[in-house]
Amino acid sequence: MAVRESAWEIQVEDVIAAGLPPAEARDFHLAIRSAANAGRQVGMEAEVWRAVVTQRLLRPDHPHALHQLVYYSVYAKWDLAQRGPPPYWFPSSAQCRLTNLGRLMEANGPKLLGSSYVDPITSFSVFQNYSVCHPEVYWSIVVKELSVIFRNEAKSILDTSDKFKEGGAWFPGAVLSIAECCLLPSNSPKKTDGNLAILWMNEGSDDSPVSSLSQKELRNQVMMVANALDTLFTKGDAIAIDMPMTSTAVIIYLAIILAGYVVVSIADSFAFKEIATRMRISKAKGIFTQDFIIRGGRKFPLYSRVVEASDCKAIVVPASGNDVGLTLRNHDLSWRDFLSRVAGLPRPCDYSPVYQSADAVINILFSSGTTGEPKAIPWTHISSIRSAADGWAHLDIQAGDIVCWPTNLGWVMGPILLYSCFLNGATLALYHGSPLGRGFGKFVQDASVTILGTVPSLVKTWKSSKCMEGLDWTKIRLFASTGEASDIDDDIWLSSRAFYKPVIECCGGTELSSCYIQGSLLQPQAFGAFSTPSMTTGFVIFDEQGIPYRDDEPCAGEVGLFPRYMGASDMLLNADHKKVYFDGMPSYRGMILRRHGDKIQRTVGGYYIVLGRVDDTMNLGGIKTSAVEIERVCNRAEESVLETAAVSFRSRDGGPEQLVLFAVLKPGMTKEESSLRAKFQRAIQKELNPLFKVSLVKVVPVFPRTASNKLLRRVLRDELSKGSTLSKL
């Protein structure tokens, strides 16, 4: 990858080498020179990049090598240590007032902040801090922005009288049905019966029109399923869903909650033992599943895994067509037979919702279970409100948006996506198939998606395979990313697909029902970095002695969350909640901090970078570092490498920790491990620390991951300790 010392030094030959024809290269070179001329002074790199983006000099159809050439040359002399991560996206005064949060700040900022309020951009951090100190005020305003209808209003927003509840009691006395709120029309946000609720497309039907359900059609189908549920189950029963996140799965999810049952979320990628564990912990009385999963034109068994895992009654949805493609157990039901149970009702699409207290459990989700039995985390109606509110504030989800995020109801992003769409009046866009290929990208184009959510490994695959070339993603107004640390170069590729729209980084947890750090459209954004704690979220970063760093101090350490976190869990079904999240944590301003387990860095300029889990920290030559830091460097060190994983390893005989790097190569690429080791070593010594030594590099076909796509470094480390060749990975 060619990089010059500044944008001004880019030559026509560099542009041609990056993939433009000579005539176009000459015109492009003149345009870049013009943009660079305004910022030839030292320290003006961001102004040059802003000019490049504003003038749309870089187009989505340009080769990625050209985007790399310009971005890395513009910021070649940018001093990260002195200035923090370089910005690539900048909020504008006009646009910020059209965002949800900007509009709220303009209406309430002068009253709440007084003379310190200037405008949404200038005053954002002040307002975020105000929301931490006065969460009752913030939530009283924001809940009215969502389509949340209380059957009985709350006595207060927050009750802190019970000293045994570290996080307090939120919306005490409130009664509602969050599923009903998702289904009914509303004025704010604007949501009518004719609005599009769901868009979807089946894999293999990429040239067919996009299918849709209106708000009224969705409500009718949910109520029909709710009526059918009442013929089989007893109110309060836990009912599992183990199937891809299709339109049918969403209907089932809402119907279970509307009818007063509890959803048990199980990812469709789980083996039968993992399904069995979750069915046992949740005491589920039934399960919805599919006969097969269709991916890339292939059929994978799902019902058979469910049968092996549980004797509970299964309702089986066909993956294609109207009939299931196999023989069911005697006590199981096909989807068609299940729906036929309401055929005799005079109004099968009418249903009276079951109203519950705001803290009633509606959904049982699970941690990834990387260190043993997964934690069973109950979600309440309040959890759903928090999910939608963060989507409203940080992803700026508005009525009329079309939101697509490849995920599953068994992962935390599934329910978050569902509530973020339906409580904000947006349309949920679902692709019934694999998101890895061009078919998914064409769906994003044809459905006119405006907000696209991703996970970094997915973006890496799109970029590497070049499967999205020629598609029009320019209707996307922002991207979102979660699940693992983002690679800067992959984010450049993603953002450039829509003329450098922002990629909002999100990091949170199932037990939080949201993200504790994110990006914001009211702040400049930097690739691979978070720009703010989420609204009402307070936290500190503390050192190994539990001593917090100052709020404005660049540092790296474990994060501790303020305990009063609306939507966060206050119980676990199979573990001691206090022991898991509070015991052993330091105090701060009279509060026992809540454990999350992330190690994060606060940079110069106030950005945040997640350095991985605290458990991923390694000690190399007496220096503490993070696996994620090492991987960021190595991912860019060699063109043939798709991704890397860093683990520390100590031999059976003891001694210091050794650094071992695993690498997955791009399809069709080969590389000697010794050559990779040399390249990784040079990159680490140059960019991180000259004392860090790479002891071993192993090339593997794929990395072990959890169902939610988190890298299982523990499995890699265990294989090393066994002396395995790692061939089975």
Side-chain angles (χ1 to χ4, degrees):
M1 178 178 65
V3 177
R4 294 296 181 178
E5 288 299 303
S6 72
W8 182 261
E9 296 179 34
I10 294 174
Q11 304 299 316
V12 174
E13 292 76 17
D14 299 324
V15 180
I16 294 172
L20 287 195
E24 187 179 348
R26 286 190 288 271
D27 292 340
F28 183 85
H29 177 253
L30 289 174
I32 286 293
R33 276 288 180 99
S34 177
N37 195 46
R40 293 183 69 181
Q41 298 174 346
V42 176
M44 296 292 287
E45 296 94 338
E47 293 308 312
V48 174
W49 180 253
R50 188 201 291 258
V52 169
V53 172
T54 302
Q55 297 171 33
R56 293 195 166 188
L57 302 184
L58 288 167
R59 302 194 309 264
D61 61 308
H62 279 150
H64 181 57
L66 184 63
H67 292 271
Q68 291 175 308
L69 170 67
V70 176
Y71 175 81
Y72 291 116
S73 295
V74 167
Y75 284 119
K77 293 182 179 178
W78 182 277
D79 190 332
L80 286 170
Q82 295 296 319
R83 305 175 67 184
Y88 71 94
W89 182 86
F90 310 86
S92 74
S93 301
Q95 290 177 336
C96 77
R97 289 178 169 83
L98 301 177
T99 64
N100 290 328
L101 203 53
R103 179 172 47 80
L104 180 146
M105 289 177 65
E106 284 286 84
N108 298 277
K111 178 177 63 178
L112 300 179
L113 302 182
S115 60
S116 64
Y117 181 75
V118 180
D119 59 59
I121 296 174
T122 308
S123 305
F124 172 77
S125 294
V126 177
F127 186 65
Q128 194 281 332
N129 186 62
Y130 178 90
S131 76
V132 175
C133 298
H134 306 280
E136 302 96 326
V137 176
Y138 178 83
W139 288 114
S140 68
I141 297 170
V142 171
V143 166
K144 294 174 184 175
E145 297 287 337
L146 309 175
S147 56
V148 175
I149 306 164
F150 292 108
R151 188 79 168 181
N152 294 341
E153 292 288 338
K155 298 173 184 175
S156 62
I157 300 294
L158 173 63
D159 180 359
T160 59
S161 60
D162 186 347
K163 301 307 177 186
F164 293 100
K165 274 185 172 281
E166 294 90 348
W170 294 90
F171 297 93
V175 173
L176 75 158
S177 165
I178 202 68
E180 181 188 48
C181 298
C182 291
L183 298 170
L184 289 181
S186 63
N187 290 322
S188 179
K190 188 65 177 176
K191 189 169 63 172
T192 69
D193 274 352
N195 280 15
L196 287 177
I198 303 178
L199 294 173
W200 77 90
M201 180 174 283
N202 294 323
E203 183 179 271
S205 303
D206 303 334
D207 294 324
S208 302
V210 175
S211 301
S212 65
L213 274 179
S214 70
Q215 192 71 33
K216 183 177 181 180
E217 290 168 335
L218 173 64
R219 184 170 66 250
N220 286 345
Q221 292 198 29
V222 169
M223 290 190 169
M224 181 166 61
V225 173
N227 276 312
L229 286 168
D230 283 349
T231 69
L232 291 174
F233 299 103
T234 302
K235 296 298 183 186
D237 280 352
I239 305 170
I241 300 176
D242 183 1
M243 57 189 293
M245 191 168 175
T246 62
S247 53
T248 301
V250 171
I251 288 165
I252 293 166
Y253 181 97
L254 290 172
I256 291 172
I257 296 171
L258 188 78
Y261 305 101
V262 177
V263 174
V264 178
S265 293
I266 301 178
D268 62 357
S269 58
F270 282 143
F272 79 92
K273 287 184 178 179
E274 294 168 306
I275 299 170
T277 297
R278 286 154 177 80
M279 293 291 284
R280 171 181 55 80
I281 293 171
S282 65
K283 300 178 181 177
K285 298 297 192 295
I287 184 169
F288 284 86
T289 189
Q290 278 186 184
D291 50 1
F292 300 98
I293 298 172
I294 299 177
R295 289 285 187 274
R298 297 174 60 195
K299 292 169 69 173
F300 299 91
L302 182 55
Y303 172 69
S304 60
R305 278 187 267 147
V306 168
V307 168
E308 196 171 359
S310 174
D311 290 329
C312 284
K313 180 180 291 295
I315 297 97
V316 186
V317 178
S320 61
N322 296 318
D323 297 309
V324 294
L326 37 67
T327 302
L328 305 183
R329 296 177 301 189
N330 290 335
H331 65 283
D332 293 337
L333 285 173
S334 70
W335 179 243
R336 174 184 283 182
D337 289 343
F338 171 72
L339 293 180
S340 71
R341 298 176 70 87
V342 299
L345 294 179
R347 290 188 296 276
C349 295
D350 282 355
Y351 193 87
S352 297
V354 173
Y355 298 103
Q356 301 171 307
S357 64
D359 61 355
V361 175
I362 59 170
N363 192 178
I364 298 169
L365 295 108
F366 295 86
S367 67
S368 56
T370 57
T371 56
E373 185 173 83
K375 297 188 292 291
I377 302 167
W379 267 31
T380 66
H381 297 270
I382 296 169
S383 309
S384 309
I385 295 171
R386 176 66 189 235
S387 296
D390 274 6
W392 178 91
H394 291 273
L395 301 183
D396 194 45
I397 298 175
Q398 301 186 11
D401 270 320
I402 298 171
V403 186
C404 181
W405 199 321
T407 186
N408 186 271
L409 289 169
W411 307 335
V412 67
M413 262 318 303
I416 286 178
L417 176 63
L418 185 153
Y419 292 117
S420 292
C421 287
F422 295 148
L423 295 182
N424 284 300
T427 301
L428 173 62
L430 300 170
Y431 186 69
H432 297 175
S434 170
L436 293 173
R438 186 176 181 83
F440 172 79
K442 188 173 185 299
F443 170 66
V444 171
Q445 169 189 276
D446 295 350
S448 299
V449 167
T450 59
I451 298 176
L452 177 62
T454 66
V455 293
S457 58
L458 190 56
V459 178
K460 191 178 293 292
T461 299
W462 293 339
K463 186 188 81 169
S464 175
S465 67
K466 300 182 179 179
C467 65
M468 302 305 178
E469 287 188 357
L471 295 175
D472 183 0
W473 283 11
T474 56
K475 291 180 181 176
I476 295 172
R477 65 184 185 89
L478 67 88
F479 300 91
S481 180
T482 192
E484 55 187 333
S486 290
D487 179 86
I488 292 174
D489 197 63
D490 293 343
D491 272 0
I492 291 172
W493 178 89
L494 181 65
S495 180
S496 70
R497 298 306 89 194
F499 289 107
Y500 287 96
K501 294 300 192 303
V503 181
I504 302 299
E505 300 284 345
C506 310
C507 181
T510 307
E511 77 285 356
L512 299 178
S513 68
S514 66
C515 298
Y516 72 93
I517 49 174
Q518 292 189 265
S520 172
L521 296 184
L522 303 182
Q523 297 175 297
Q525 296 300 301
F527 286 126
F530 306 82
S531 60
T532 179
S534 60
M535 298 304 295
T536 74
T537 299
F539 65 74
V540 295
I541 303 171
F542 57 88
D543 64 19
E544 292 179 343
Q545 286 71 47
I547 300 172
Y549 294 99
R550 296 193 314 272
D551 288 345
D552 59 349
E553 182 180 2
C555 59
E558 184 173 350
V559 65
L561 304 175
F562 290 7
R564 289 177 186 168
Y565 192 114
M566 201 281 267
S569 63
D570 62 7
M571 64 173 290
L572 296 170
L573 298 188
N574 60 338
D576 184 328
H577 189 273
K578 184 175 182 295
K579 182 177 180 180
V580 170
Y581 294 114
F582 290 96
D583 283 3
M585 288 294 285
S587 295
Y588 179 75
R589 296 180 182 173
M591 303 177 288
I592 300 294
L593 295 172
R594 181 181 176 118
R595 179 179 291 107
H596 186 67
D598 280 349
K599 180 180 181 182
I600 66 174
Q601 176 188 3
R602 182 166 49 230
T603 73
V604 175
Y607 290 98
Y608 298 92
I609 296 173
V610 175
L611 302 177
R613 304 295 287 173
V614 173
D615 294 341
D616 292 336
T617 299
M618 57 184 76
N619 187 320
L620 301 177
I623 301 170
K624 288 287 184 72
T625 190
S626 159
V628 175
E629 286 183 296
I630 293 171
E631 290 158 5
R632 286 183 192 275
V633 170
C634 293
N635 285 344
R636 288 181 52 196
E638 163 58 45
E639 189 66 28
S640 64
V641 169
L642 181 65
E643 57 182 332
T644 59
V647 301
S648 62
F649 175 72
R650 186 178 280 111
S651 70
R652 293 187 181 92
D653 299 327
E657 292 183 43
Q658 301 176 53
L659 173 59
V660 178
L661 283 161
F662 295 86
V664 174
L665 301 181
K666 294 176 181 176
M669 295 284 192
T670 59
K671 203 72 179 178
E672 291 291 330
E673 291 175 345
S674 58
S675 174
L676 286 176
R677 179 177 174 274
K679 287 203 171 186
F680 291 159
Q681 183 70 73
R682 285 195 296 271
I684 290 170
Q685 289 180 336
K686 178 183 177 182
E687 299 188 41
L688 288 180
N689 195 305
L691 300 179
F692 291 170
K693 181 182 178 183
V694 180
S695 297
L696 179 69
V697 169
K698 299 293 292 183
V699 174
V700 295
V702 67
F703 288 151
R705 293 183 180 274
T706 67
S708 58
N709 211 51
K710 293 177 181 175
L711 178 64
L712 284 167
R713 291 190 184 85
R714 173 180 55 81
V715 174
L716 295 172
R717 195 178 293 112
D718 289 348
E719 292 297 327
L720 279 174
S721 66
K722 297 173 188 174
S724 167
T725 62
L726 301 163
S727 58
K728 70 178 183 179
L729 297 175

